[in-house]
Amino acid sequence: MNRSNQGTATLVQGVIYASVVTGNLMVLAHFHGVGQSLPYQVLAMLSAALSYLVLRRFDLTIPWNPGRPGSIGNAIFWSWLGLVGTFLFLAYLTKFSEYFSRRVLILWFLSTPVLLWLIHALVMLFLRRFLPTVSARRSAVVVFANETARQLARNLARSENYRLVGFFDDRDVDRIGGPMEDTPYLGKARNVAQYVRDHDIEVVFVVLPDDGGKRAAVVMDELGDTTASVYYVPDFLIFNLLEATVQEIEGIPVLQVSETPFYGADGILKQLFDFAFSLGVLIALSPLLLLVAAAVKLTSPGPVFFKQKRYGLGGQRFWVYKFRSMYVGDDAQRQQQQATKDDPRVTPVGRFIRRTSIDELPQFLNVLKGDMSVVGPRPHSVAHNEQYRKEVKRYMARHKVKPGLTGWAQVNGLRGETANLERMEERIRYDLEYIRNWSPMLDIKIIFMTVLMIFRDENAY
């Protein structure tokens, strides 16, 4: 599917999902006599916007397979659960919860995923009944055998969309180590076009052969005389080494190696969420913040806040704020050292607020200033940045987004001290994975995971 078609499909799916979510709410509110009230109209607009942004990427035209690990059905369920949590949190912060009927909300929360599944079932039924050629599995062959082709064959064998018929290669089957994943050998590459015509093959995957692209170009020229869809499959090794994805810029296909996900509507959504969430937390926790500030000031000499230069978006430096958790007076070199277990620099109050992550709460001020985000790669000290950018590949790619109070690496057990290079490399892998796979629901998931791990994280000291 080309880029314009993908955009249209995403738009249509988003509108369908938003219509189901919002329509269900308004129908339930109408039957309970509250459909015309302002709070429900506001909630309807908010739910339409968020459900469009979050759910639009889920394809209505392929099997969802709920219950199967990694399936769309499971992803839909968890995404809706995240949306429910967002609605409840916003209602709590704004104190709007008293304006809503608990019966309406509970029915809405429980019935919406059922309706989403029903809409998908109806779409699939329509496709099978009236457009069977669109929904049927497409016959496919692979041309040229190598490790990339074997991985492709494994994936196609598990796919709901393709039926792998066999493969072609100029070498005999015994020279390539036998059939690929139990897929029959169909002959030489020069015979593929004739085979496709004789057997009505719908899709041909031409893999870059080990000895270069000229042979692949010849095969694709010959396939121009068939009606098959043709896909050219580059060597996966390049994708794996660069961790790249295919994009299109002004009509030219490119490999995207490093890019920020926060452009356009997604960037606006991220900033609005950061501002609203941070402001709500600071207001809700203001009594706690005042109490901690007093405890820090009264139990050890020195300022309430500790500030340090960190690298932010685009590699620009900014001051990060924390509640002071260490004794003052250490030299600059010791101040750059990461905290260790039973670190003598940490005050008694500091030990508690570090253990519970309370020392990080002033960074919500950094979020309001625009220097940080609620979720993103954790900012490192300038000294550590200068060290690890030379030792860890693609280290600076983490600065394509704003640093966060919490991040994907931290909720996966990589919070705190990085005692060796391998641990830092693992942290960076998680940071880059977050950037590549960002979505609003991933942010919400990380926030929930952070709250759950605060009191059981052994790496916090």
Side-chain angles (χ1 to χ4, degrees):
M1 186 181 295
N2 62 36
R3 177 71 54 174
S4 61
N5 287 342
Q6 285 181 326
T8 302
T10 299
L11 173 64
V12 172
Q13 287 174 172
V15 170
I16 292 175
Y17 289 131
S19 300
V20 171
V21 171
T22 307
N24 187 32
L25 171 64
M26 297 312 295
V27 168
L28 291 171
H30 173 75
F31 279 107
H32 286 78
V34 292
Q36 301 301 317
S37 63
L38 180 61
Y40 284 93
Q41 294 177 5
V42 172
L43 179 58
M45 290 187 290
L46 179 63
S47 66
L50 290 181
S51 58
Y52 172 83
L53 289 171
V54 172
L55 302 178
R56 58 182 174 172
R57 69 185 188 276
F58 298 120
D59 199 327
L60 279 166
T61 65
I62 64 175
W64 280 8
N65 299 319
R68 180 182 297 180
S71 68
I72 292 180
N74 286 0
I76 283 279
F77 173 79
W78 287 111
S79 296
W80 175 245
L81 194 62
L83 284 173
V84 169
T86 302
F87 296 141
L88 293 176
F89 180 75
L90 291 175
Y92 169 76
L93 286 183
T94 58
K95 297 183 178 180
F96 259 60
S97 56
E98 60 189 78
Y99 296 102
F100 295 99
S101 164
R102 287 177 172 79
R103 180 181 177 85
V104 171
L105 292 183
I106 291 174
L107 287 174
W108 182 46
F109 294 157
L110 295 178
S111 61
T112 295
V114 177
L115 288 177
L116 292 175
W117 173 83
L118 180 60
I119 290 296
H120 172 254
L122 291 174
V123 169
M124 294 296 292
L125 180 63
F126 173 84
L127 291 176
R128 284 194 292 266
R129 178 66 179 83
F130 298 104
L131 299 170
T133 58
V134 173
S135 58
R137 297 176 73 192
R138 306 171 76 190
S139 58
V141 295
V142 175
V143 186
F144 300 123
N146 55 19
E147 192 54 41
T148 294
R150 293 183 187 279
Q151 180 62 53
L152 176 62
R154 284 192 288 269
N155 292 353
L156 292 175
R158 296 191 298 265
S159 173
E160 300 280 353
N161 301 316
Y162 296 96
R163 177 176 57 85
L164 185 56
V165 176
F167 73 99
F168 294 82
D169 197 272
D170 287 335
R171 296 166 294 175
D172 292 331
V173 66
D174 56 336
R175 292 181 56 200
I176 58 177
M180 292 195 309
E181 309 302 317
D182 299 323
T183 302
Y185 172 70
L186 301 177
K188 305 293 185 182
R190 61 178 177 271
N191 299 323
V192 62
Q194 187 61 49
Y195 185 93
V196 165
R197 286 190 291 267
D198 292 344
H199 296 84
D200 295 323
I201 298 298
E202 297 169 278
V203 182
V204 179
F205 294 96
V206 181
V207 180
L208 177 67
D210 292 331
D211 57 355
K214 289 185 178 180
R215 288 162 56 216
V218 171
V219 170
M220 286 191 287
D221 283 343
E222 294 176 351
L223 288 169
D225 191 34
T226 73
T227 60
S229 302
V230 179
Y231 289 86
Y232 180 66
V233 184
D235 192 342
F236 288 159
L237 178 62
I238 300 298
F239 288 85
N240 293 337
L241 287 177
L242 300 178
E243 296 180 325
T245 57
V246 177
Q247 300 291 336
E248 184 178 290
I249 295 180
E250 301 300 331
I252 302 298
V254 296
L255 286 181
Q256 178 180 294
V257 178
S258 178
E259 179 59 283
T260 174
F262 303 131
Y263 276 133
D266 287 337
I268 295 172
L269 176 65
K270 176 82 166 174
Q271 293 186 41
L272 290 176
F273 175 81
D274 284 341
F275 182 84
F277 187 89
S278 300
L279 185 62
V281 168
L282 289 172
I283 293 173
L285 298 184
S286 55
L288 173 63
L289 298 176
L290 292 173
L291 181 63
V292 172
V296 170
K297 188 66 176 177
L298 296 174
T299 56
S300 63
V304 171
F305 296 107
F306 167 78
K307 66 176 185 177
Q308 189 180 56
K309 283 284 188 181
R310 301 288 174 95
Y311 277 110
L313 179 66
Q316 299 298 313
R317 298 186 185 188
F318 70 100
W319 288 106
V320 69
Y321 301 106
K322 295 184 179 184
F323 281 122
R324 180 176 57 83
S325 59
M326 294 185 177
Y327 294 105
V328 298
D330 286 322
D331 58 44
Q333 182 178 359
R334 279 175 57 79
Q335 287 291 342
Q336 294 290 352
Q337 296 175 1
Q338 291 180 313
T340 58
K341 196 166 187 176
D342 301 321
D343 196 317
R345 296 174 297 167
V346 179
T347 68
V349 170
R351 200 168 303 283
F352 172 74
I353 62 176
R354 292 176 71 92
R355 180 70 182 84
T356 55
S357 298
I358 293 174
D359 66 318
E360 308 281 359
L361 292 180
Q363 288 169 40
F364 281 111
L365 295 172
N366 287 112
V367 178
L368 290 182
K369 289 176 59 180
D371 294 328
M372 294 180 64
S373 181
V374 176
V375 180
R378 284 293 295 157
H380 299 151
S381 69
V382 171
H384 291 146
N385 250 50
E386 296 304 322
Q387 172 189 349
Y388 289 117
R389 69 188 300 177
K390 301 173 184 175
E391 299 176 352
V392 180
K393 291 181 179 180
R394 301 193 65 215
Y395 177 90
M396 292 301 289
R398 69 198 302 272
H399 295 294
K400 298 296 291 183
V401 300
K402 292 179 182 180
L405 278 82
T406 184
W408 188 230
Q410 283 64 45
V411 298
N412 280 281
L414 291 166
R415 181 190 174 193
E417 182 184 12
T418 50
N420 52 58
L421 181 61
E422 289 74 20
R423 186 171 174 83
M424 178 59 77
E425 289 175 336
E426 188 176 3
R427 178 183 288 187
I428 301 307
R429 281 197 296 272
Y430 276 103
D431 288 342
L432 299 184
E433 180 180 316
Y434 167 79
I435 294 173
R436 288 194 304 272
N437 301 311
W438 176 84
S439 70
M441 293 314 306
L442 180 57
D443 275 1
I444 293 171
K445 176 181 179 180
I446 291 172
I447 291 172
F448 279 127
M449 292 176 69
T450 301
V451 173
L452 293 175
M453 72 180 292
I454 283 177
F455 295 100
R456 56 182 177 86
D457 188 0
E458 297 180 355
N459 295 319
Y461 40 77

